[in-house]
Amino acid sequence: INRPAGTLLEFWLRTLSKSRQELGDQWKGLPPEDERFLSRVVSGESYAAELGRILVASQVFLLFSLDEAWTIQHVTPLFSLSTNLKRALQAWHGYLVWGHWNDRLLVHMLPRYEEAFPFVNSHFEKLRDAFCDHLAGIAAFSKIDPSRRSLYNFSSAVTDQERIRWAASFGQVLKGMDDPAKTAMWAQWLRQYWKDRLDGIPVPLTEKEGEEMIEWSIHLGPVFSEV
């Protein structure tokens, strides 16, 4: 982020964000000049473009708000590990450090998350925990059903280490939620998910993961008796 290429791109994105705020409903997506510039960053082969792509990926939420169609076409594919492993890992590194999401963006990002599941333990290194933390937040706050179904695919694809980390992170998310949200989440999916994990679905529950899940009960006061 401190390299000239990173500084330039960060300035460019902030300028676009400011223009978007000033124009309000009159904003019609990325202006042609900006679109051409950002497209060169995404597709470029230079080291400067490589650095720029990391920042582009980290700001996928901002770019999605600026131009959904362009972002879906040019930015979300950067996260595909099956297409280009090195480029995708760089994109994930930028996103997991600085990135944000909402449900509208998540519809397009969830397939990228799922594609990354088998690589989390072997390739994500220090950012493995950040990936699990992201998924914990998505499970708690996303309103789209696929985000919950992804948990089963996650459990099947990763190792015990990631399942334990996710359970610990989800406990911290629960701690910060208000009681009505906890009650609603328990009824909508958490009750069934917990039962499935106890039944070994989709993989057997280990002692360490179970210990983390037991701690969830401390933060589920409104439904504690059922828990």
Side-chain angles (χ1 to χ4, degrees), residues 117-128:
F117 291 165
F119 297 89
V120 174
N121 183 268
S122 57
H123 288 77
F124 278 65
E125 299 177 348
K126 294 180 180 180
L127 287 176
R128 181 194 66 184

Side-chain angles (χ1 to χ4, degrees), residues 34-141:
D34 299 291
E35 183 178 323
R36 286 192 295 270
F37 169 73
L38 290 171
S39 295
R40 289 198 300 271
V41 172
V42 169
S43 61
E45 300 294 334
S46 68
Y47 182 60
E50 191 173 15
L51 294 175
R53 272 194 298 274
I54 298 172
L55 275 174
V56 165
S58 76
Q59 299 301 316
V60 61
F61 178 75
L62 169 62
L63 288 165
F64 190 74
S65 70
L66 296 174
D67 195 319
E68 286 190 18
W70 184 88
T71 303
I72 292 167
Q73 182 178 354
H74 295 281
V75 182
T76 56
L78 295 177
F79 294 87
S80 173
L81 285 101
S82 62
T83 302
N84 187 315
L85 181 61
K86 179 184 177 182
R87 186 184 68 185
L89 288 173
Q90 290 173 334
W92 279 109
H93 274 243
Y95 174 69
L96 291 173
V97 172
W98 295 303
H100 302 281
W101 57 269
N102 61 14
D103 280 347
R104 194 176 179 91
L105 172 60
L106 199 57
V107 169
H108 306 282
M109 284 294 293
L110 266 180
R112 308 304 178 190
Y113 275 95
E114 296 209 13
E115 189 180 346
F117 291 165
F119 297 89
V120 174
N121 183 268
S122 57
H123 288 77
F124 278 65
E125 299 177 348
K126 294 180 180 180
L127 287 176
R128 181 194 66 184
D129 289 352
F131 187 93
C132 298
D133 296 346
H134 260 245
L135 282 181
I138 289 170
F141 299 115

Side-chain angles (χ1 to χ4, degrees), residues 157-173:
V158 300
T159 71
D160 290 343
Q161 291 175 303
E162 289 77 54
R163 286 189 287 270
I164 294 166
R165 174 66 190 199
W166 183 89
S169 180
F170 187 73
Q172 290 302 307
V173 175

